[in-house]
């Protein structure tokens, strides 16, 4: 039987079932699977969303990728065994809705996983200069304690720091808010992370990006458009 739900690990506190049921009125499951189960699980034709830690790991088991997912190198939506990336368009819609400009900004992106790849892709498309930040030294990244050496006007947190139940964690201590024009934290639970509470600049929380990327995924699943009014209604309900 084809499944409609979210694959990842762990998933116990995900808001995705509420959001997708709100938009499509269908039962939506949390499918907490182990990495060794991916190949057999993805052999079936089903409508799935993908979260940590499988956004890159699902790719070898898919029939095809959308051009955007192929360029980004990460998948968060699977329909008829084709991988898509709606994190990118969900993030772009967040920036547009709040009037956050990326053109010619120096943007720090914390994290190097699938969400970071999608967000960096959009920022570069919008004309930003992207600097990746990681806890570990990698190619084209800087370490947290090197942030003071670079200039930046925008920050996006794509790490799980501050996510329930570790809500006292934050990257705020590494940042100089006086130089920042805007901040996005993609952590959706809690609603306002410690980072957002400490931010001294305009900010967007992860719940809005979660809802917007889910709406884009549901448009792929159903073939119907989801309006801005429906998105705002879902946010209010949450």
């Amino acid at each position: 039987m084809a499944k409609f739900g979210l694959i990842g690990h762990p998933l116990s506190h995900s808001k995705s079932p509420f959001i997708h049921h709100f938009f499509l009125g269908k039962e939506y499951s949390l499918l907490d699977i182990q990495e060794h189960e991916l190949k057999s699980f993805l052999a079936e034709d089903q409508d799935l969303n993908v979260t940590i830690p499988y956004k890159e790991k699902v790719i070898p088991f898919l029939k095809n990728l959308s051009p955007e997912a192929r360029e980004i190198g990460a998948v968060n939506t699977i329909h008829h065994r084709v991988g898509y990336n709606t994190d990118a368009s969900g993030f772009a819609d967040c920036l547009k809705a709040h009037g956050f400009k990326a053109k010619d900004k120096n943007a720090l992106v914390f994290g190097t996983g699938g969400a970071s790849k999608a967000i960096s892709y959009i920022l570069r498309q919008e004309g930003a200069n992207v600097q990746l930040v990681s806890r570990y030294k990698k190619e084209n990244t800087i370490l947290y304690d090197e942030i003071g050496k670079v200039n930046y006007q925008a920050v996006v947190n794509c790490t799980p720091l501050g996510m329930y139940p570790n809500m006292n964690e934050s990257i705020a201590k590494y940042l100089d808010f006086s130089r920042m024009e805007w901040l996005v934290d993609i952590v959706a639970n809690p609603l306002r992370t410690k980072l957002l509470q400490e931010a001294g600049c305009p900010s967007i929380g992860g719940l809005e990006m979660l809802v917007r990327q889910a709406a884009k995924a549901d448009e792929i699943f159903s073939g119907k458009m989801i309006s801005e009014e429906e998105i705002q209604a879902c946010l209010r309900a949450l």
Side-chain angles (χ1 to χ4, degrees), residues 66-223:
S66 71
E68 192 169 57
R70 189 179 303 282
E71 187 167 349
I72 292 168
V75 162
N76 79 319
T77 299
I78 300 171
H79 179 57
H80 295 324
R81 299 193 63 228
V82 176
Y84 299 84
N85 193 301
T86 66
D87 281 335
S89 52
F91 177 71
D93 286 350
C94 281
L95 297 184
K96 183 178 179 180
H98 291 264
F100 286 8
K101 305 299 183 186
K103 185 173 175 58
D104 298 326
K105 307 298 182 194
N106 295 318
L108 295 182
V109 176
F110 284 74
T112 57
S116 169
K117 288 182 175 182
I119 282 165
S120 297
Y121 169 82
I122 290 297
L123 288 171
R124 292 187 178 108
Q125 277 200 331
E126 295 286 329
N129 305 305
V130 176
Q131 175 61 67
L132 297 176
V133 186
S134 175
R135 289 174 295 175
Y136 310 106
K137 197 64 179 177
K138 301 177 182 178
E139 188 177 2
N140 300 319
T141 68
I142 61 172
L143 298 171
Y144 284 30
D145 60 9
E146 296 177 309
I147 291 170
K149 302 174 185 176
V150 299
N151 184 33
Y152 55 92
Q153 296 85 40
V155 169
V156 185
N157 176 42
C158 298
T159 77
L161 284 173
M163 182 183 295
Y164 180 90
N166 302 310
M167 295 183 291
N168 288 325
E169 296 179 345
S170 171
I171 60 170
K173 62 185 177 182
Y174 300 102
L175 300 173
D176 179 358
F177 290 107
S178 68
R179 65 170 74 179
M180 288 167 54
E181 296 181 18
W182 54 261
L183 163 78
V184 179
D185 187 351
I186 73 165
V187 171
N189 186 8
L191 182 62
R192 289 195 63 76
T193 58
K194 190 170 189 287
L195 174 60
L196 291 175
Q197 292 174 42
E198 296 174 330
C201 63
S203 61
I204 305 171
L207 186 65
E208 181 167 349
M209 181 174 159
L210 179 65
V211 170
R212 289 186 181 280
Q213 65 80 23
K216 294 292 187 184
D218 288 341
E219 289 179 350
I220 292 170
F221 296 148
S222 69

